[in-house]
Amino acid sequence: MNEIVLMSDPAVTAIPVAECGEPLVDVREDGRLLVDTRKQDPADAFAHLREGVLERLLEAQALLLPHGLRLLFVEGYRPPSLQRAYFDEYAGQLRAAHPGWSAERIHSAASRYVSPPDIAPHSAGAAVDLTLADPEGRELDLGTRMNADPEESDGACYTHATNVGAEARANRELLGSVLTSAGLVNYPTEWWHWSFGDRYWALTSGEAAALYGPKESAEEA
């Protein structure tokens, strides 16, 4: 875990963006993904992703068919204003819990759980929060609830945490194998967070630039 590169790392922010102009699409229109509404926002932004990210999710889901499982989509695109609100809220919680921490340390610690707004993969339409479900849509055991923070879960939210059971570990490995095969990368502090085309993906994949930068939906423009 000490080798994890956080979203706040200068190596991530230094990655340039070569915006490809790919549109945001509503993942519900295709009908092949199970879509959960727990993160639904008034504008339905949550159900949108860049077109290329959705294509890769469908590739990953096809790899799950022999296992009798499906992906359960929870959140994709997140408007920049909402990303800022999430980041500020969590940073405020850390500040209250650790009054002696510097602003830099608060910023870094907050980025374990919420990406800094200026480079957030969700606000580029490049990231998705998702899990595994059985054919009836019931979530499988992946060790923690989705969106459990490091404090609440005692670090079990980290993808390769050792304090989860064997079933959860196997399910995380299966989820990771199909998504990696489809070209997505994981943010190692959150087993549920995967992305393609953003700065973190570029750094992890050795690409010179990100394909997607922060984007406003048609409703926000």
Side-chain angles (χ1 to χ4, degrees), residues 185-209:
V185 301
N186 173 242
Y187 188 41
T189 63
E190 301 175 337
W191 59 260
W192 57 85
H193 178 107
W194 292 80
S195 68
F196 172 84
D198 60 297
R199 282 168 160 155
Y200 200 84
W201 163 85
L203 179 68
T204 303
S205 304
E207 299 291 336

Side-chain angles (χ1 to χ4, degrees), residues 18-84:
E19 174 60 55
C20 68
E22 200 174 276
L24 290 168
V25 294
D26 190 330
V27 303
R28 296 168 296 187
E29 292 181 359
D30 180 271
R32 283 182 282 174
L33 288 181
L34 291 172
V35 179
D36 187 281
T37 59
R38 77 187 75 172
K39 297 292 284 186
Q40 188 169 14
D41 58 287
D44 269 359
F46 85 104
H48 291 74
L49 282 176
R50 296 286 190 138
E51 196 170 44
V53 183
L54 175 57
E55 290 172 359
R56 284 163 176 78
L57 289 186
L58 295 175
E59 290 177 18
Q61 176 151 280
L63 297 174
L64 285 173
L65 292 179
H67 301 275
L69 301 175
R70 299 181 68 183
L71 295 175
L72 179 61
F73 175 100
V74 176
E75 186 179 19
Y77 175 69
R78 188 181 295 158
S81 59
L82 184 56
Q83 183 72 29
R84 167 65 66 183

Side-chain angles (χ1 to χ4, degrees), residues 52-154:
V53 183
L54 175 57
E55 290 172 359
R56 284 163 176 78
L57 289 186
L58 295 175
E59 290 177 18
Q61 176 151 280
L63 297 174
L64 285 173
L65 292 179
H67 301 275
L69 301 175
R70 299 181 68 183
L71 295 175
L72 179 61
F73 175 100
V74 176
E75 186 179 19
Y77 175 69
R78 188 181 295 158
S81 59
L82 184 56
Q83 183 72 29
R84 167 65 66 183
Y86 284 168
F87 186 84
D88 289 348
E89 179 183 13
Y90 185 52
Q93 293 173 7
L94 292 174
R95 197 175 294 112
H98 306 283
W101 283 11
S102 67
E104 181 180 2
R105 185 173 182 183
I106 292 291
H107 188 269
S108 177
S111 76
R112 297 170 305 161
Y113 181 58
V114 186
S115 175
D118 55 329
I119 55 96
H122 278 290
S123 294
V128 57
D129 293 341
L130 78 178
T131 187
L132 292 174
D134 67 16
E136 286 71 45
R138 294 185 293 260
E139 290 182 52
L140 273 59
D141 175 17
L142 276 93
T144 73
R145 71 174 184 87
M146 184 178 290
N147 293 319
D149 63 45
E151 290 76 27
E152 168 193 335
S153 67
D154 192 25

